[in-house]
């Protein structure tokens, strides 16, 4: 997996196009931490932080946040895109966190834990968390809906068919995501744990945002790597279908992009 995210061109595209962090998911992690451990919020570690999509909004609530990613290009892009002075980034695997024992209030991972060697990562999370510290792993199901006036059905069919083509380039992470992290939940070594599924998240976005999102998906990156011309032509055909459906004002419309998220939450005793 590191190979997919280790391409500078892809990291730049990921930072530019991946949909923004969901405030709902940020609040879910923080409310759980308040309920289980309470303040102070000294240190959070964002594992598989990518270009810092969740590191930055979480940083507003902690004295310090460390973003960790196995990919140097993701970390370089995260550093370029972060101005918060309480954020540090490290290139390091999730299975060897460069953090002291019992020093972290919140270990979290957004859209990343499905690629970790899960038993090793769980051991590390247990090692670095303070007593009462929390673990939060969240992501979305790779199935989407787009709503706009009376063409929602067609728009949803286009995004569904697009993802179905990209599935040819999937890896095992796709099944873990579709199962809403059931396997990851079972692997959490803490007795106090819960899994919240089927959380609706909606983004208001433009057609350009939707086309950008498609390009930020790792499966599209894999398609590009294997067949650059084929992937580019495929995206052009997808764009034409969207534009034909939305008509002349396609570049002006605000679409509703719906996804289903889930979160595994756990507290170290
Ligand atoms: C889809 S991105 C998600 C990035 C970010 N958390 C977000 O929500 O945008 C997945 C990230 O996980 C990282 N990753 C995958 N396996 C990893 C591992 N074993 N250790 C650390 N990072 C890993 C990848 O390099 C990539 O940046």
């Amino acid at each position: 997996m590191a190979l997919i995210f280790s391409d500078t061109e892809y990291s730049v595209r990921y930072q530019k196009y991946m949909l923004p962090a969901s405030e709902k998911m940020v609040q879910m992690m923080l409310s759980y931490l308040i309920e289980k451990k309470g303040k102070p919020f000294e240190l959070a570690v964002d594992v598989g932080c990518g270009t810092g999509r969740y590191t930055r909004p979480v940083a507003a609530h902690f004295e310090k946040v460390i973003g960790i990613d196995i990919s140097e290009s993701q970390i370089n892009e995260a550093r370029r895109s972060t101005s918060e002075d309480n954020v540090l980034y490290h290139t390091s695997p999730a299975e060897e966190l460069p953090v002291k024992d019992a020093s972290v209030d919140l270990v979290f991972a957004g859209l990343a834990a499905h690629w970790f060697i899960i038993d090793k990562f769980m051991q590390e999370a247990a090692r670095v968390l303070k007593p009462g510290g929390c673990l939060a792993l969240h992501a979305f199901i790779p199935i989407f809906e787009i709503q706009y006036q009376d063409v929602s059905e067609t728009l949803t069919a286009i995004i569904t068919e697009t993802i179905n083509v990209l599935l040819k380039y999937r890896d095992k992470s796709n099944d873990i995501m579709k199962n809403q992290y059931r396997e990851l939940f079972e692997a959490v070594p803490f007795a106090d744990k819960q899994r919240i599924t089927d959380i609706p998240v909606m983004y208001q976005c433009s057609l350009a945002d939707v086309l950008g999102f498609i390009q930020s998906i790792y499966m599209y990156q894999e398609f590009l790597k294997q067949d650059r011309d084929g992937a580019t032509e495929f995206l052009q055909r997808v764009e034409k279908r969207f534009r034909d459906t939305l008509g002349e004002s396609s570049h002006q419309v605000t679409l509703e992009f719906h996804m289903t998220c889930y979160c595994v939450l756990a507290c170290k005793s």
Side-chain angles (χ1 to χ4, degrees):
M1 181 45 48
L3 284 179
I4 291 180
F5 286 94
S6 66
D7 181 288
T8 300
E9 184 192 329
Y10 180 36
S11 292
V12 171
R13 200 179 318 122
Y14 188 90
Q15 166 58 18
K16 185 170 172 195
Y17 290 134
M18 177 47 81
L19 292 167
S22 155
E23 188 53 30
K24 200 188 251 187
M25 301 313 288
V26 172
Q27 285 310 324
M28 191 168 287
M29 296 191 281
L30 296 177
S31 314
Y32 184 75
L33 187 60
I34 278 281
E35 180 198 325
K36 295 290 174 180
K37 184 193 148 288
K39 295 206 172 184
F41 289 180
E42 289 171 327
L43 177 60
V45 176
D46 180 1
V47 188
C49 65
T51 60
R53 186 167 69 116
Y54 276 91
T55 328
R56 288 181 290 273
V58 167
H61 305 273
F62 283 82
E63 284 172 30
K64 184 172 159 189
V65 179
I66 303 178
I68 286 165
D69 201 285
I70 200 167
S71 154
E72 205 162 334
S73 68
Q74 293 283 79
I75 289 293
N76 287 341
E77 199 50 35
R79 286 195 179 120
R80 254 195 294 275
S81 315
T82 301
S83 54
E84 288 79 357
D85 54 16
N86 62 338
V87 174
L88 277 179
Y89 290 107
H90 287 290
T91 306
S92 181
E95 301 79 11
E96 277 170 57
L97 300 176
V99 185
K100 283 191 201 144
D101 294 2
S103 63
V104 182
D105 299 283
L106 176 69
V107 169
F108 71 98
L111 202 56
H114 38 272
W115 282 304
F116 302 164
I117 301 169
I118 208 60
D119 291 347
K120 287 192 176 160
F121 165 68
M122 292 296 177
Q123 274 172 25
E124 277 297 82
R127 177 182 70 76
V128 303
L129 279 171
K130 296 175 183 172
C134 296
L135 174 69
L137 312 174
H138 65 88
F140 54 71
I141 302 177
I143 297 173
F144 311 104
E145 233 182 87
I146 304 176
Q147 290 180 6
Y148 181 69
Q149 294 185 353
D150 59 351
V151 288
S152 304
E153 213 171 294
T154 311
L155 296 173
T156 298
I158 297 170
I159 190 72
T160 303
E161 285 159 32
T162 301
I163 298 296
N164 285 344
V165 170
L166 298 185
L167 283 176
K168 182 176 165 206
Y169 302 93
R170 72 183 180 276
D171 60 23
K172 71 177 175 62
S173 67
N174 202 67
D175 287 341
I176 305 174
M177 289 169 78
K178 268 168 71 183
N179 287 340
Q180 303 199 49
Y181 279 4
R182 201 187 54 228
E183 294 91 334
L184 302 197
F185 173 72
E186 283 162 9
V188 173
F190 310 143
D192 189 354
K193 57 181 175 178
Q194 56 182 275
R195 184 170 69 114
I196 304 170
T197 57
D198 301 305
I199 307 160
V201 169
M202 191 271 284
Y203 292 93
Q204 290 202 313
C205 60
S206 64
L207 176 56
D209 294 330
V210 173
L211 294 166
F213 172 69
I214 294 167
Q215 294 173 72
S216 74
I217 298 174
Y218 81 93
M219 295 182 289
Y220 183 75
Q221 171 65 14
E222 195 54 35
F223 189 0
L224 264 181
K225 257 168 63 181
Q226 292 184 26
D227 176 8
R228 182 163 281 268
D229 290 346
T232 307
E233 282 160 23
F234 170 70
L235 193 68
Q236 285 165 353
R237 284 196 301 276
V238 170
E239 178 171 356
K240 182 172 184 318
R241 288 183 69 192
F242 276 127
R243 288 203 184 283
D244 289 349
T245 305
L246 290 166
E248 275 178 14
S249 57
S250 61
H251 59 290
Q252 290 171 333
V253 297
T254 301
L255 308 168
E256 283 190 1
F257 192 84
H258 294 262
M259 57 173 66
T260 303
C261 295
Y262 44 88
C263 193
V264 168
L265 296 164
C267 175
K268 177 177 163 180
S269 55

